[in-house]
Amino acid sequence: MIFLIGFMGSGKSTIGRELAKELNSDCLDSDQLIEEKYKMTIGEIFARYGENRFREMETEILRELKGGKWSIVMTGGGMAERKVNRDLMKNKGKVIWLNCSFEETVRRIAGDTTRPLVKEKGMDGLKALYEKRMPLYQSSSDLKIETAGVTIEETVKKILAGLKL
């Protein structure tokens, strides 16, 4: 499996779908799998149970994941926060960190009302979260790909080259 990690707005969903097409493989979205399993939106889960319970759900989904060698797994931005999640991803496949600057992230997520942490934390809180997560992405990734200023196709090519495919 190929796990795409990175902060919200880094391109995980967009790149994941294109990479899956290129590899003719499955494309799994951890947030979507959680919503299907628990029959609630991510926003409802945050509102009803809080972030800690949501993080536990992420771990449950990772443990249950079964996919082919080249299945693409698009993770939520906080997936790498828990060591157990970082270990599970490492043990199940390759971990690719899609990175872009905080300023680019803000530009990309502007106006997106579906992200619970954007509403909850505001820009200062998001900046602190971004800075907290950067070392976690770094330490858990097999490959780092910059997504700012490049096309989706160029990003997919960089990933394939980095994986030597």
Side-chain angles (χ1 to χ4, degrees), residues 11-110:
K12 298 179 299 289
S13 296
T14 304
I15 300 303
R17 285 189 293 273
E18 289 303 311
L19 185 58
K21 282 182 198 170
E22 187 70 27
L23 292 172
N24 194 27
S25 65
D26 298 332
C27 188
L28 307 168
D29 181 313
S30 64
D31 285 351
Q32 184 179 347
L33 293 171
I34 289 169
E35 288 181 342
E36 289 170 6
K37 179 176 178 174
Y38 296 98
K39 308 213 182 328
M40 286 186 272
T41 67
I42 301 304
E44 290 168 339
I45 293 168
F46 266 75
R48 186 176 294 176
Y49 300 109
E51 185 177 356
N52 285 339
R53 177 64 184 120
F54 173 73
R55 298 295 170 209
E56 291 169 1
M57 291 174 177
E58 285 182 319
T59 302
E60 291 167 22
I61 289 295
L62 275 181
R63 284 194 172 113
E64 295 167 4
L65 266 182
K66 293 187 179 22
K69 180 177 181 182
W70 301 121
S71 292
I72 308 303
V73 181
M74 304 169 303
T75 67
M79 185 70 81
E81 283 196 15
R82 299 179 85 195
K83 183 177 182 340
V84 64
N85 293 351
R86 296 191 302 271
D87 292 344
L88 282 165
M89 289 187 290
K90 281 283 206 189
N91 290 332
K92 289 185 175 223
K94 295 287 184 188
V95 181
I96 299 171
W97 171 21
L98 300 182
N99 184 54
C100 63
S101 70
F102 182 72
E103 293 71 26
E104 177 66 13
T105 296
V106 169
R107 188 187 69 71
R108 290 179 181 183
I109 65 172

